[in-house]
Amino acid sequence: MSSLSQLHQSAPDVPMVVASHHSRSERRVAPAWSLAQLKTRLEPITGVPATCQRLTLRIGSQAPMALEATDDEAAQLSAFPLQPYAEIYVHDTRPAAARTDFSDVSAVDKYVMPADEYEHRSDSVLAWKKAQKLGRFDPNAGSLEEQKVKALEREVHERGIQLHLRCQLLPASSDARRGAIAFIGPVPDIPGTAGAPWIGIALDEPTGKNDGSVKGTRYFDCKPNCGVFVRPERVEVGDFAPLDDGLDEDLEEI
């Protein structure tokens, strides 16, 4: 054996980053391995069959270079410029339809504990809530409907929602309509939790659904199609200038 071959055989392992579409991890790579051996070791790590791998090596900010040879069995990794923590990326050459999506858990069998079994467990969150008399187990909490009303009333207070203040509808990223708060209170003709507050807004532009009235009952005055009723969590108050253009309607409003 030549001295060069002995050097390659005795070269220490190189810590490298192995990445693919579904994985990324640090691995130690032996320069004495052949390219075929490397691909065989990468298969259980990335899930890409050795025969379907196309490898590239990226060192720092340099452009990736191909890890390939005419004979994978004969080509040793020592022939390539392996450097600590350089990245070996495993490209999957199979058609997209033939690849397994390891990030899709929809097809994975899941265990769902029966409700009656969960009810009788002593080491569950439910058991702890019962012991601490929290939520619906609080004898002073009132009915579930009452709790919903109180939660929405707190939302009005915490958001600083008051009559005549300027506001915009949330989420602002998809609904940037603005206006002024014209009504705060229950609207019996709108389905939902009885007695819970709705926020009536007189919009700057005719992108609403009413004129401040619902089924013949008037709650505030505004121009046609400039009125809208939303829950408190949809409202952000602030010094918002009027908008020039209206945006699309939101399905959550009435």
Side-chain angles (χ1 to χ4, degrees):
M1 181 180 294
S2 67
S3 58
L4 182 59
S5 298
Q6 291 176 338
L7 178 61
H8 288 168
Q9 291 291 341
S10 60
D13 293 350
V14 181
M16 305 193 72
V17 175
V18 174
S20 68
H21 180 68
H22 297 294
S23 64
R24 186 178 182 86
S25 60
E26 182 183 322
R27 304 284 170 167
R28 301 191 73 83
V29 174
W33 292 347
S34 68
L35 197 53
Q37 288 175 312
L38 174 63
K39 290 183 176 182
T40 300
R41 286 170 167 80
L42 293 179
E43 181 171 344
I45 297 172
T46 64
V48 182
T51 55
C52 301
Q53 295 177 15
R54 179 173 61 83
L55 307 182
T56 56
L57 173 66
R58 182 191 292 273
I59 301 173
S61 59
Q62 299 178 20
M65 62 175 293
L67 284 180
E68 58 186 5
T70 54
D71 186 350
D72 286 356
E73 294 288 350
Q76 281 192 313
L77 297 182
S78 56
F80 299 96
L82 303 184
Q83 291 189 16
Y85 304 106
E87 179 189 84
I88 295 177
Y89 194 91
V90 183
H91 301 266
D92 193 339
T93 61
R94 294 174 296 175
R99 304 173 190 173
T100 302
D101 185 358
F102 294 103
S103 62
D104 181 10
V105 298
S106 61
V108 179
D109 292 334
K110 304 174 183 65
Y111 172 73
V112 178
M113 182 179 293
D116 57 344
E117 180 181 341
Y118 181 72
E119 287 275 353
H120 291 88
R121 292 187 67 93
S122 61
D123 58 350
S124 65
V125 173
L126 181 64
W128 180 79
K129 286 184 176 181
K130 288 180 180 179
Q132 301 297 321
K133 294 182 172 55
L134 298 176
R136 60 189 173 96
F137 304 108
D138 183 353
N140 300 316
S143 68
L144 182 60
E145 289 296 302
E146 291 173 339
Q147 292 180 49
K148 289 181 179 179
V149 171
K150 290 180 180 179
L152 288 170
E153 290 174 344
R154 286 196 303 270
E155 192 83 23
V156 172
H157 175 72
E158 292 171 358
R159 288 181 174 272
I161 297 173
Q162 300 179 34
L163 289 174
H164 311 306
L165 291 182
R166 291 286 300 171
C167 67
Q168 72 174 2
L169 296 183
L170 298 175
S173 59
S174 60
D175 191 348
R177 287 179 294 175
R178 298 174 181 177
I181 298 171
F183 173 82
I184 304 172
V187 181
D189 289 318
I190 299 180
T193 304
W198 287 90
I199 311 302
I201 300 174
L203 297 170
D204 297 332
E205 299 291 329
T207 55
K209 293 190 174 181
N210 53 63
D211 61 352
S213 63
V214 178
K215 294 184 178 180
T217 301
R218 179 161 298 283
Y219 295 91
F220 62 92
D221 293 316
C222 69
K223 296 178 181 179
N225 297 322
C226 284
V228 68
F229 291 88
V230 297
R231 286 302 192 190
E233 64 269 16
R234 292 282 316 281
V235 180
E236 179 184 11
V237 299
D239 187 18
F240 298 111
L243 289 174
D244 294 330
D245 299 308
L247 300 179
D248 295 336
E249 296 177 352
D250 191 290
L251 297 178
E252 294 181 356
E253 60 192 41
I254 296 176

